[in-house]
Amino acid sequence: MKIQLWREILSPYDLAVKELIIKFEHLMHEYREQGLYSPIEQVTGRVKTVSSILDKAQKKGVAADEIEERITDIAGVRIICQFVEDIQKVVEIIRERTDMEIVSERDYVSHMKESGYRSYHIIVLYEVHTVNGAKKLHAEIQIRTLAMNFWSTIEHSLQYKYKENIPDHISQKLTNVANAIISLDNEMSSVRSEIMDAQISSHIRSGLVSDILTTIQNLYRVTTKREVQKIQDEFYRIYELDDIDQLRRFARELDVIAEGYRVQSVEQGGSEDTCP
Ligand code: 0O2
């Protein structure tokens, strides 16, 4: 058997996990920047430890030189959603991507495992580029709700403590909680659209506030202190009204004022940064 240098073996998996996290997080930010609801709430990832890889290989009867081919979750990314419906949306997003090739899918959301575990698993082939060239490797993407993640995190830590032998009374509690989590996710789904609307409004509001404050900051450099003070007082007055339309209107008016100063500074041949 070839000598296995684990640090070198795992390095491309580390790269894959980092790239995948960045790609999914970027999607999440794009949704929010466009004032849309993001089906992705949170993204995490890890490279399996060598001892966990060896344990799994031993359990599944995988020879050491077949590990990379047959242990398909050395690179693992977890996508957490708020609602059960979001899981399918994320699955569709992954199916449409051309930078990851789906090898297999397992739906433990509709088909809960005997343990009570629920999650949607997709194994993909993903290409990374290292100093040794391109390498296609397996990565496992687990997609689940916040509530499902809560259950599986607790259960996973118990598995670590008790191995295969979780005491019956704890097992029973875990089953009860797994059922409670199904009800919880269903309850949350029934108010999904209201929650989505509230969250979108909150993102839009904080985006508007941040744009307004940036414009005020820029105006500070080109107009009088008195004028900026007046604008800032007006901003606080409107902010207190807690009315997103008023905030939107104020942001537009401020943009027009800022644009006026920009045009003025170009006509006078000065730069935008020129102080009065
Ligand atoms: P870790 O420590 O999370 O990496 P199979 O293909 O069925 O022979 P495999 O590869 O275990 O075996 O597939 P499966 O069942 O889809 O499980 C893959 C991963 O899902 C597991 O990896 C766990 O992360 C998670 N998982 C599956 N079943 C359970 C469960 O009952 N409870 C919890 N908490 N997690 C589960 P690992 O390598 O087992 O563990």
Side-chain angles (χ1 to χ4, degrees):
M1 190 184 69
K2 234 172 75 185
I3 293 175
Q4 289 181 304
L5 299 172
W6 279 101
R7 205 179 310 159
E8 279 168 31
I9 292 172
L10 296 185
S11 174
Y13 290 89
D14 185 45
L15 177 59
V17 169
K18 284 180 178 143
E19 287 188 10
L20 287 167
I21 291 177
I22 285 183
K23 288 182 176 185
F24 288 117
E25 279 185 343
H26 195 268
L27 276 179
M28 182 172 84
H29 296 310
E30 264 190 310
Y31 273 110
R32 291 182 180 160
E33 269 167 16
Q34 292 176 25
L36 300 170
Y37 171 80
S38 170
I40 300 173
E41 174 63 17
Q42 194 188 321
V43 188
T44 58
R46 60 96 184 100
V47 175
K48 223 173 169 62
T49 60
V50 177
S51 71
S52 178
I53 295 171
L54 295 178
D55 282 351
K56 192 160 187 170
Q58 201 177 32
K59 212 163 97 190
K60 293 175 99 176
V62 173
D65 49 10
E66 287 178 330
I67 284 178
E68 283 196 83
E69 202 183 310
R70 294 188 46 200
I71 305 290
T72 52
D73 65 344
I74 296 176
V77 172
R78 188 166 294 156
I79 297 178
I80 308 295
C81 309
Q82 297 190 90
F83 302 99
V84 183
E85 291 81 353
D86 301 336
I87 296 177
Q88 204 48 42
K89 174 78 190 153
V90 175
V91 171
E92 277 153 27
I93 290 171
I94 295 172
R95 284 185 189 146
E96 275 173 20
R97 293 190 71 109
T98 51
D99 56 346
M100 37 195 102
E101 182 190 324
I102 296 184
V103 175
S104 65
E105 293 184 30
R106 279 188 180 175
D107 182 0
Y108 298 128
V109 175
S110 311
H111 310 282
M112 181 168 82
K113 279 186 128 178
E114 215 182 316
S115 59
Y117 178 75
R118 290 171 77 224
S119 192
Y120 199 103
H121 291 190
I122 301 184
I123 306 290
V124 294
L125 270 173
Y126 182 75
E127 186 170 87
V128 288
H129 295 259
T130 69
V131 283
N132 299 318
K135 180 181 168 95
K136 257 192 184 175
L137 44 79
H138 286 110
E140 182 182 72
I141 305 173
Q142 300 183 342
I143 312 153
R144 54 174 81 145
T145 63
L146 286 158
M148 293 173 194
N149 193 48
F150 168 68
W151 185 94
S152 68
T153 305
I154 303 283
E155 199 257 3
H156 193 272
S157 61
L158 291 173
Q159 274 182 25
Y160 183 77
K161 174 165 181 188
Y162 295 108
K163 306 285 173 216
E164 312 279 87
N165 308 306
I166 297 182
D168 281 350
H169 71 284
I170 297 182
S171 238
Q172 186 54 52
K173 281 262 184 264
L174 284 169
T175 307
N176 297 346
V177 176
N179 290 327
I181 276 169
I182 296 178
S183 311
L184 179 99
D185 272 331
N186 288 342
E187 283 290 305
M188 291 309 283
S189 288
S190 68
V191 284
R192 181 172 180 259
S193 60
E194 284 90 334
I195 296 174
M196 277 167 62
D197 283 351
Q199 288 174 348
I200 290 170
S201 300
S202 154
H203 284 302
I204 292 177
R205 188 167 176 270
S206 70
L208 280 170
V209 168
S210 149
D211 288 350
I212 289 170
L213 294 177
T214 306
T215 312
I216 293 178
Q217 180 88 34
N218 292 339
L219 283 171
Y220 183 75
R221 290 188 275 140
V222 290
T223 185
T224 60
K225 274 192 178 164
R226 213 165 136 254
E227 182 72 9
V228 175
Q229 185 70 53
K230 232 171 72 191
I231 291 171
Q232 185 176 281
D233 291 348
E234 179 63 359
F235 163 64
Y236 284 127
R237 190 190 67 76
I238 289 173
Y239 184 80
E240 276 179 18
L241 298 177
D242 200 17
D243 179 341
I244 202 155
D245 290 331
Q246 296 257 28
L247 214 53
R248 211 177 259 129
R249 185 190 48 75
F250 183 68
R252 273 200 301 266
E253 282 172 12
L254 221 50
D255 281 346
V256 172
I257 297 174
E259 179 61 15
Y261 278 105
R262 201 187 65 81
V263 170
Q264 228 177 55
S265 99
V266 170
E267 278 169 358
Q268 287 166 4
S271 88
E272 277 176 61
D273 288 338
T274 311
C275 289

